[in-house]
Amino acid sequence: MSMTREQIRELAEFQDEKSCAVSFYFQPSTPRNKAHKEETILIKDLAREALRRLEDKGVKDGVRADIERVVRLSGDLRSNGTHARAVFACAGHNIWREYELPATLASSQLFVDRHFHLKPLAHLMGASPLLGVVLLDRHRARIFDLRMGELIERDDLFHPLPRRGRSDGYAGYDGGHAQRRVEDEARQHFKNVAATVKDLLDKRIFEKWILGCQDAHRPLFEPQLHPYASQALIGRFRADLASVTADEIRTHAQQIVEQWQGERRRELVDLVLSQARSSQGRGVTGLRRVLRSLELGEVQTLLIGENLQGHAVECPGCGHVDAHIVSHCPVCGRVTQEIVDVGEAILPWVIRRDIETFYVKDDAEFDRVGNIAALLRFRSEKVQPISIAMADQLQRAGAEYPGRLRRFARR
Ligand SMILES: [Zn+2]
């Protein structure tokens, strides 16, 4: 079963005070050419390494059982090379979840921590809008959801051509009239499809969409689109609705999405860095400033370097993350814990609030500003202390401690 945003959000909420939350990502090796045996050895190595690290803290039976189960599962998974797999387990809380993912993970990985590790998922979903694919010809339209690399058919709109239009033919005395009728039918069909697309965007079933059709249909169909449906169209590919396969649709759509994401990432890095240079701008850079903006609920879009390194502590009580290595939480006073991977630790915040997230790779200028930056919705300086309305809004958005956040905001 493939994952929904709600499931990912639920995983982001979870923490195990005994630090026995197991996250396992299985990326199948390229089908057929790699020996299955190598994969099995790799997974066993990952498991041995994880158990060895746990031994310093004293291995709990539950986590050992989870890891052994992961190893057994990976033995069964190797025969199915078309999907990657994610497993989230915590025996102490009776949790075992398995999900299929598109087979595009960097590698197989195993983590044992207080939280589930979600970075490989954030790569897949952080910058992926809810996507629709619309296939079109003169009398039919097929509409698909594209979710985490899976294509799911939603609608098949069929407007049959009038039979008369065919039989009394273009060659007859009435030919011109019949042809006009056929064109009117097609125009009406395109109009209906355009209205359906607008409706799906209005209902937030799609945020962006992709069009697949013959070149000849585009000048007839696209002018029928509502302006914001045109804006939400991120790309087109040439396809014959009657013969195109699901694999071809997926491949075209994936290419368009990757190109769109690449362009959007470049634009955003430029925008955030230039905004951060101006004092009134909506951009912030560096771990401390970005953490603060995240907790204040200001962040609209987050940019994280692939190789973000940074020291930080986390409060097991309220979840506050601090780039100052303080022994006690400045929000609630509990003893803090050191974070090894700060990029991973902030993901629960990001996922909970559905913040658009992009990973940035090999960018010298981005590296210089600390490998993390954010575009803000607004500047909090103007609204401090956080208003009751804002606290309510944060609570609705999923913040657990608006009162504490409010206190924090006044510091
Ligand atoms: Zn705290």
Side-chain angles (χ1 to χ4, degrees):
M1 118 194 242
S2 60
M3 300 189 79
T4 64
R5 286 188 187 189
E6 288 65 34
Q7 288 165 335
I8 295 171
R9 216 170 279 143
E10 198 186 312
L11 293 169
E13 299 286 343
F14 179 78
Q15 55 172 310
D16 177 45
E17 58 292 343
K18 297 198 177 81
S19 294
C20 291
V22 175
S23 313
F24 174 58
Y25 290 91
F26 177 81
Q27 168 66 22
S29 56
T30 16
R32 288 180 289 273
N33 58 359
K34 280 266 179 187
H36 290 154
K37 211 175 161 189
E38 278 178 41
E39 256 169 14
T40 315
I41 291 168
L42 170 74
I43 306 296
K44 281 185 177 155
D45 282 350
L46 289 175
R48 200 173 304 125
E49 176 65 19
L51 284 168
R52 196 188 54 72
R53 259 180 276 126
L54 282 167
E55 251 148 40
D56 308 341
K57 305 185 218 164
V59 192
K60 318 284 183 300
D61 288 345
V63 71
R64 182 186 292 278
D66 279 339
I67 290 173
E68 283 165 0
R69 189 168 165 194
V70 157
V71 172
R72 280 200 303 279
L73 174 77
S74 64
D76 304 335
L77 286 180
R78 59 194 189 181
S79 53
N80 170 16
T82 55
H83 282 96
R85 203 63 83 96
V87 177
F88 304 94
C90 185
H93 287 85
N94 230 346
I95 293 175
W96 179 275
R97 305 263 159 80
E98 281 179 46
Y99 301 100
E100 276 186 355
L101 302 174
T104 54
L105 303 176
S107 63
S108 293
Q109 286 179 295
L110 179 65
F111 306 95
V112 182
D113 207 340
R114 230 153 48 74
H115 300 284
F116 293 127
H117 276 230
L118 302 175
K119 192 169 157 185
L121 293 181
H123 270 267
L124 283 172
M125 68 161 255
S128 294
L130 298 170
L131 261 180
V133 180
V134 176
L135 292 184
L136 185 79
D137 69 15
R138 288 175 72 89
H139 57 109
R140 196 177 160 200
R142 298 177 68 190
I143 303 180
F144 300 85
D145 291 336
L146 190 66
R147 300 279 182 273
M148 312 274 289
E150 297 287 336
L151 204 60
I152 303 146
E153 183 145 17
R154 159 175 294 282
D155 285 313
D156 192 336
L157 306 176
F158 185 63
H159 299 276
L161 285 174
R163 234 178 262 128
R164 266 195 46 183
R166 289 274 186 231
S167 59
D168 50 26
Y170 300 99
Y173 177 73
D174 202 23
H177 177 68
Q179 189 177 359
R180 259 197 314 282
R181 258 196 63 183
V182 171
E183 277 168 11
D184 284 347
E185 296 277 347
R187 193 174 299 113
Q188 190 54 47
H189 163 62
F190 288 149
K191 210 176 246 175
N192 291 342
V193 177
T196 304
V197 171
K198 177 178 180 294
D199 188 47
L200 291 166
L201 289 165
D202 284 340
K203 290 181 179 150
R204 303 281 290 169
I205 291 167
F206 297 162
E207 292 162 340
K208 302 284 174 194
W209 65 291
I210 291 166
L211 173 64
C213 67
Q214 303 276 17
D215 287 343
H217 302 323
R218 283 183 42 196
L220 296 170
F221 173 61
E222 292 190 19
Q224 309 283 352
L225 291 169
H226 192 277
Y228 68 68
S230 296
Q231 270 173 20
L233 176 60
I234 62 168
R236 305 160 179 89
F237 63 95
R238 195 177 300 145
D240 182 13
L241 180 148
S243 62
V244 70
T245 67
D247 264 350
E248 286 167 342
I249 301 170
R250 218 177 4 241
T251 306
H252 281 300
Q254 218 59 51
Q255 275 168 3
I256 288 169
V257 172
E258 273 161 34
Q259 193 185 342
W260 176 78
Q261 285 174 339
E263 283 164 14
R264 180 142 174 76
R265 181 163 43 227
R266 265 192 304 281
E267 279 170 19
L268 277 166
V269 170
D270 289 348
L271 175 67
V272 170
L273 294 184
S274 72
Q275 288 277 316
R277 278 192 288 270
S278 117
S279 63
Q280 290 302 306
R282 289 169 58 221
V284 290
T285 58
L287 186 57
R288 284 177 191 183
R289 193 64 188 82
V290 170
L291 284 178
R292 190 175 148 78
S293 295
L294 275 173
E295 291 196 338
L296 291 174
E298 299 175 319
V299 175
Q300 179 178 315
T301 302
L302 180 68
L303 304 170
I304 309 182
E306 277 285 2
N307 42 12
L308 170 69
Q309 307 266 323
H311 288 286
V313 294
E314 180 181 29
C315 170
C318 69
H320 168 68
V321 178
D322 208 309
H324 299 271
I325 309 299
V326 288
S327 58
H328 290 80
C329 174
V331 183
C332 75
R334 293 257 308 250
V335 174
T336 60
Q337 296 183 352
E338 193 158 357
I339 292 169
V340 182
D341 185 344
V342 68
E344 184 64 55
I346 60 178
L347 280 181
W349 283 91
V350 172
I351 290 168
R352 213 176 290 155
R353 293 186 182 166
D354 231 345
I355 293 168
E356 183 182 42
T357 305
F358 288 91
Y359 284 90
V360 182
K361 214 167 149 179
D362 307 325
D363 185 313
E365 205 188 348
F366 192 69
D367 208 53
R368 271 197 296 281
V369 301
N371 249 314
I372 186 163
L375 185 68
L376 308 184
R377 295 173 213 280
F378 56 84
R379 290 299 294 231
S380 71
E381 279 78 7
K382 289 172 195 159
V383 296
Q384 267 186 2
I386 294 181
S387 67
I388 299 300
M390 188 59 214
D392 290 342
Q393 195 183 321
L394 283 176
Q395 193 163 28
R396 274 200 303 279
E400 292 166 62
Y401 301 94
R404 286 167 182 165
L405 279 169
R406 210 175 308 150
R407 210 157 59 231
F408 184 63
R410 293 204 190 98
R411 292 172 73 86

